[in-house]
Amino acid sequence: MINRSLDRPLQLLAVVGIILYFTVILISSYLSGPPPSNEEADGLPTITQQAAADTAVVFARQHFALSDDHNTSTLYQTHSERSGYLQKEHLFNSYTERYTQLPLDYYEVEINDLASSKTYYIDINYSNQKVLGWKTYVSPSSKADTVSAPGVDPQLLAEQTIKEQGYSPTNFTLLDTVPDLNKKNNAATPSGRVLVYESRTDLIGQAKLQLTLNVSKGQVVSFQPDFKIPAAFGEWKEIQNSSASLMTNISMGVSLIMAAAALFIIIRYRRQITFRRGLWLTLIFLIIYIGNNFNMLPAFRTSHTAGPSQFEALFYLWFLNIIIAMMAVSVYLSVLAGRQMWSRYSWNPLPEWQDPAFGSQVWVAMTRGYLLCFFILGVQQVLFFIAEHAFDVWSVNDAADSVLNMTFPALFPLMAWAAAISEETVYRLFGIAFFLKIVRIRFLAVLLPSIIWAMSHTQYPIYPVYTRLVEVTIIGVIFGYAFLKYGFMTVLFAHASMDSILMGLSLYGLGDWMHIVVGSFYLIFPGLVGWVLYRLHGNKKRRALSMPRLDPD
């Protein structure tokens, strides 16, 4: 068990972290005012994905003669560009109160009509089941009817649709009408006329409401209401995203150099290395991460272009799995090289199953990991609070990362272990030893891999993008010094506990009791893992001691 006198500082840090965490939550709740009074204000879906799909199918049958030979899929989507503009200009609350008919978050139903080779994307308000907009794509190989309906005025048809959708045509000005020649990714919108209407009254900040319609062959095949975001915001965001991409590329480049250095060390000291070490950690990382990729297949479909999204998503899935396999190799190399480098300091930061004290070491590491986790969670809350209120930091929803777009959301928190294994092996177990060899200064050896690690987190939808660089670097330094003091298993459990708690709490947002229970389970899951390993190793040791010894005579 833990020596309480030795871990008293860590216990005090945990208490400080818990106090900071709940204090910031209380202050934030006070500053943000009373909570929303209804589910729509909470931003939670009040209809099921199946109900949204049913509404979309009825609409497609009424407007496009959808055949019975079709399939549907429903995704959560969000207007991240609009949301970002509103938050940057402090217009978010004003918008959500004024434009309830144009929610930022919604369901997108994809309908693939197999008989006509057409794909429909129909946006559904997930609070009241109303159709918000739609798009039609036709495969170049489609044999659909290409005969235009005679005597139909595109402008008259467009304005009739605007009225049917609940808008007053008299409040809009026709800005443009042009031929639609758009072709993308072997699919295209039906050729016709694109009409853009701009509202005379609906304005939020400098963004005006526009309705874009495509009229083709006597049908409105596309209707998209959107706010025209000022170009200045787009340029600012592009600069931010370019900075994030640059930092990510630097992180990937340095990480690749580290992996090459690890391989060199392994080759050089191959006779001193036991190659079976690190295999279990690598395998656990690989299984969890690839399983999560399959779980996120619906999320991969949110970034579709034209036509059916399934093919693009499958291509991205297998491409990502190849990347993850390469990351697994990096994890394995980092374990072997890291152990070898620390052995030169007569220190083994990673205990093995064969060690007699392995079970008790895991138990101690798990307990210390939770204590460290509580402290870091408190620090993180303080950093977010300062960033939001002192540096005007804001974030937007990302449909590609939402638990609403996972096949089994309950499996998502398992990713805490994949993240903990990969990042702690690469940037702590090996990274600190690698940079210590180069710079010879312990603080820099802790700081530099923390910065490289933080750079890989800058493409999260949090702006300005330097926010996560600062936050994750600070957390990385804490992990780094904890690694030097307590060893690898402690920071592994601390990282896994922290992510497991945050990911578990994300399941609460789904609103149903089952996911709340599952999310609560993940709060204690790392502790359960530590206890199981402790018990299994204890039983193994007891069996070994109770085995009869053979008399050599």
Side-chain angles (χ1 to χ4, degrees):
M1 293 296 176
I2 291 180
N3 185 322
R4 299 196 176 191
S5 63
L6 291 178
D7 286 283
R8 194 173 303 278
L10 201 54
Q11 294 169 13
L12 292 175
L13 287 177
V15 172
V16 170
I18 292 171
I19 293 173
L20 289 175
Y21 184 87
F22 287 104
T23 299
V24 170
I25 288 178
L26 289 174
I27 294 174
S28 298
S29 300
Y30 174 77
L31 293 176
S32 62
S37 58
N38 54 62
E39 289 184 336
E40 184 172 346
D42 285 337
L44 296 175
T46 58
I47 65 170
T48 65
Q49 292 187 345
Q50 185 59 52
D54 293 342
T55 299
V57 167
V58 170
F59 178 86
R61 281 175 173 161
Q62 292 174 345
H63 289 75
F64 304 113
L66 177 69
S67 74
D68 292 333
D69 188 14
H70 66 266
N71 57 56
T72 64
S73 60
T74 304
L75 302 173
Y76 158 79
Q77 286 282 22
T78 183
H79 292 289
S80 58
E81 186 82 1
R82 190 190 311 171
S83 176
Y85 171 73
L86 295 172
Q87 294 191 74
K88 188 175 188 296
E89 301 299 326
H90 306 286
L91 297 168
F92 187 85
N93 291 336
S94 175
Y95 177 88
T96 54
E97 291 172 2
R98 182 178 174 185
Y99 292 105
T100 56
Q101 81 279 16
L102 290 171
L104 297 170
D105 302 328
Y106 58 98
Y107 279 142
E108 179 187 64
V109 180
E110 176 183 344
I111 305 176
N112 294 300
D113 190 335
L114 305 180
S116 65
S117 297
K118 291 182 179 180
T119 300
Y120 306 100
Y121 288 103
I122 302 177
D123 302 336
I124 305 293
N125 188 324
Y126 64 34
S127 295
N128 57 25
Q129 221 162 327
K130 180 181 177 180
V131 174
L132 300 170
W134 60 91
K135 293 180 182 177
T136 304
Y137 297 97
V138 181
S139 168
S141 61
S142 171
K143 298 180 181 179
D145 180 26
T146 58
V147 179
S148 300
V152 178
D153 182 356
Q155 184 173 340
L156 182 63
L157 188 57
E159 292 177 0
Q160 179 183 343
T161 301
I162 290 173
K163 186 175 182 179
E164 290 174 352
Q165 288 302 116
Y167 303 92
S168 174
T170 58
N171 288 337
F172 289 84
T173 301
L174 178 60
L175 294 183
D176 203 1
T177 172
V178 296
D180 175 38
L181 303 175
N182 179 48
K183 290 182 180 296
K184 280 186 177 180
N185 292 8
N186 297 323
T189 56
S191 59
R193 307 293 296 184
V194 174
L195 299 94
V196 181
Y197 291 82
E198 184 172 87
S199 174
R200 299 188 181 95
T201 57
D202 293 302
L203 177 72
I204 189 76
Q206 297 181 21
K208 288 186 176 181
L209 175 63
Q210 292 186 350
L211 306 178
T212 303
L213 302 91
N214 182 352
V215 180
S216 175
K217 305 178 183 65
Q219 292 180 318
V220 177
V221 295
S222 174
F223 175 84
Q224 291 294 303
D226 202 0
F227 282 83
K228 183 66 175 178
I229 306 301
F233 173 78
E235 293 169 359
W236 176 88
K237 187 178 177 184
E238 181 63 28
I239 293 172
Q240 290 288 308
N241 291 341
S242 297
S243 298
S245 296
L246 175 61
M247 287 187 281
T248 300
N249 290 336
I250 292 173
S251 175
M252 292 176 60
V254 176
S255 299
L256 186 61
I257 293 172
M258 291 169 60
L263 179 59
F264 173 79
I265 292 168
I266 292 169
I267 294 174
R268 181 177 180 181
Y269 297 99
R270 60 189 179 279
R271 295 181 181 179
Q272 303 173 26
I273 292 176
T274 304
F275 285 89
R276 68 173 181 274
R277 293 171 180 170
L279 287 175
W280 276 110
L281 280 176
T282 304
L283 187 61
I284 292 170
F285 162 80
L286 191 61
I287 291 173
I288 292 177
Y289 217 129
I290 289 182
N292 182 74
N293 288 345
F294 280 94
N295 192 33
M296 291 186 66
L297 185 59
F300 298 153
R301 301 178 71 168
T302 61
S303 301
H304 62 79
T305 52
S309 64
Q310 184 73 12
F311 305 108
E312 295 178 55
L314 287 172
F315 174 82
Y316 182 72
L317 169 66
W318 288 107
F319 174 78
L320 191 59
N321 283 342
I322 294 173
I323 300 298
I324 298 308
M326 296 170 63
M327 289 177 61
V329 173
S330 177
V331 168
Y332 180 62
L333 297 177
S334 296
V335 173
L336 297 182
R339 287 176 60 96
Q340 175 61 30
M341 293 189 75
W342 287 114
S343 68
R344 301 182 63 188
Y345 297 92
S346 301
W347 184 46
N348 179 17
L350 179 57
E352 303 174 22
W353 180 264
Q354 292 78 10
D355 296 342
F358 177 83
S360 59
Q361 288 176 327
V362 168
W363 178 261
V364 169
M366 179 272 293
T367 310
R368 285 174 172 166
Y370 263 105
L371 294 175
L372 183 61
C373 158
F374 294 150
F375 174 65
I376 294 177
L377 284 174
V379 171
Q380 186 183 54
Q381 281 290 97
V382 171
L383 292 174
F384 283 155
F385 181 83
I386 294 173
E388 179 182 358
H389 294 280
F391 296 97
D392 199 24
V393 171
W394 45 271
S395 63
V396 296
N397 291 338
D398 187 352
D401 289 331
S402 174
V403 292
L404 291 170
N405 284 328
M406 296 181 184
T407 306
F408 302 104
L411 297 179
F412 171 57
L414 290 176
M415 270 297 292
W417 289 96
I421 290 171
S422 61
E423 293 168 9
E424 295 310 313
T425 54
V426 173
Y427 299 106
R428 249 66 70 182
L429 179 61
F430 176 70
I432 293 178
F434 174 71
F435 282 101
L436 187 61
K437 177 71 173 177
I438 297 173
V439 299
R440 309 285 184 175
I441 301 173
R442 190 168 72 163
F443 173 71
L444 290 179
V446 171
L447 177 63
L448 292 175
S450 298
I451 293 174
I452 301 305
W453 176 49
M455 283 183 172
S456 67
H457 289 71
T458 54
Q459 288 196 317
Y460 284 76
I462 299 177
Y463 297 91
V465 295
Y466 64 76
T467 305
R468 292 234 71 190
L469 175 65
V470 175
E471 172 229 340
V472 179
T473 296
I474 293 173
I475 292 175
V477 169
I478 296 173
F479 275 136
Y481 276 101
F483 166 78
L484 293 175
K485 184 174 180 61
Y486 300 111
F488 175 79
M489 294 296 289
T490 293
V491 292
L492 177 68
F493 272 100
H495 195 149
S497 299
M498 180 179 173
D499 285 358
S500 188
I501 289 172
L502 294 174
M503 293 176 181
L505 292 175
S506 72
L507 297 182
Y508 286 24
L510 295 174
D512 61 279
W513 68 267
M514 184 193 75
H515 284 106
I516 291 175
V517 171
V518 173
S520 300
F521 167 76
Y522 279 110
L523 307 186
I524 63 170
F525 182 62
L528 182 61
V529 170
W531 178 81
V532 168
L533 290 175
Y534 170 72
R535 297 292 298 179
L536 287 175
H537 190 268
N539 292 337
K540 172 184 176 295
K541 188 165 63 174
R542 283 190 292 272
R543 285 195 300 271
L545 292 174
S546 63
M547 287 180 64
R549 296 184 180 180
L550 296 177
D551 188 345
D553 295 331

